[in-house]
Amino acid sequence: MFIQALIIAVIIGYILKGSLKNIDASSIKGLYFVFTAFLIEFILIMLIRNQYLTRGIVTYVVNFIMYLLLFVFIYVNRRNKWIVLMGIGFLLNAIPIFLNGGAMPVSLSAVKAAGITQNVSSEGLYRLIDEGTKLAFLGDVIPVKYPRPFAVSIGDIVGAIGLMLFVITGMQRKKTEIKYVK
């Protein structure tokens, strides 16, 4: 979902006469925390999909490390309100994940509506919502069909909005010109 949000934000930024050159990347601290966290998540999901690993204590700990890296990134950038908003989205995802054994709860109706296989646990760190699920409403309960079928959570939406606002407002900034006095 974040890739789609990024693409939409860039398009909106250009429509509003902004430029990617205006984004001050030097103001973002610790971006490597985010890249490392998403690399860990990618590797973890690939290991699960290829049946080298199943959900358990190892995936729980690795998932915890991934979220810890994301929250360190948010903390070091806490002065940027849009990055903080992304962090709130990450937190809204972390809460149901860690309250439900390290897997994001996914509603069966969202899975069916999105046209995804019902064996969500083989896709990564997911589990179908049942009567024992804690805070199910924070899980992936919103079906999305385009550009590909998947389900999203409230946290995904909040995080994506934060990312979009960060990019759009960054694209609108004017580069300050340095004037040299002779």
Side-chain angles (χ1 to χ4, degrees):
M1 173 171 194
F2 287 97
I3 292 172
Q4 291 91 337
L6 184 60
I7 292 168
I8 292 168
V10 170
I11 291 169
I12 292 171
Y14 277 118
I15 289 171
L16 296 174
K17 308 284 190 230
S19 173
L20 284 173
K21 294 176 188 174
N22 292 342
I23 296 177
D24 182 12
S26 67
S27 69
I28 306 169
K29 299 174 192 140
L31 200 53
Y32 51 88
F33 288 118
V34 174
F35 289 123
T36 303
F38 285 118
L39 178 63
I40 289 170
E41 181 181 40
F42 175 77
I43 291 169
L44 195 58
I45 289 171
M46 288 299 108
L47 289 172
I48 291 170
R49 285 184 180 171
N50 292 307
Q51 300 177 350
Y52 292 111
L53 196 60
T54 57
R55 188 167 43 93
I57 190 69
V58 171
T59 58
Y60 192 90
V61 170
V62 172
N63 216 3
F64 179 80
I65 292 167
M66 182 195 74
Y67 272 97
L68 184 63
L69 291 169
L70 290 173
F71 291 129
V72 168
F73 170 76
I74 301 304
Y75 179 77
V76 298
N77 290 285
R78 65 190 177 279
R79 289 191 173 92
N80 185 303
K81 62 185 173 187
W82 306 128
I83 291 179
V84 170
L85 185 59
M86 282 188 271
I88 292 169
F90 294 150
L91 181 62
L92 289 172
N93 281 342
I95 290 169
I97 287 171
F98 292 109
L99 288 178
N100 291 289
M104 176 60 96
V106 182
S107 78
L108 182 58
S109 59
V111 167
K112 286 181 178 178
I116 306 169
T117 174
Q118 291 182 28
N119 189 7
V120 294
S121 61
S122 67
E123 295 296 317
L125 295 171
Y126 304 101
R127 63 176 284 229
L128 285 176
I129 292 173
D130 58 24
E131 63 280 344
T133 303
K134 296 172 182 78
L135 299 177
F137 70 96
L138 290 176
D140 286 349
V141 296
I142 305 163
V144 176
K145 292 191 178 198
Y146 302 103
R148 62 176 182 78
F150 59 103
V152 298
S153 66
I154 294 167
D156 292 335
I157 293 170
V158 171
I161 290 170
L163 175 64
M164 291 175 70
L165 291 171
F166 175 79
V167 171
I168 293 167
T169 57
M171 289 178 70
Q172 300 307 304
R173 288 195 187 110
K174 302 291 183 210
K175 289 274 185 187
T176 57
E177 292 182 34
I178 300 173
K179 296 181 181 182
Y180 295 97
V181 179
K182 291 185 180 182

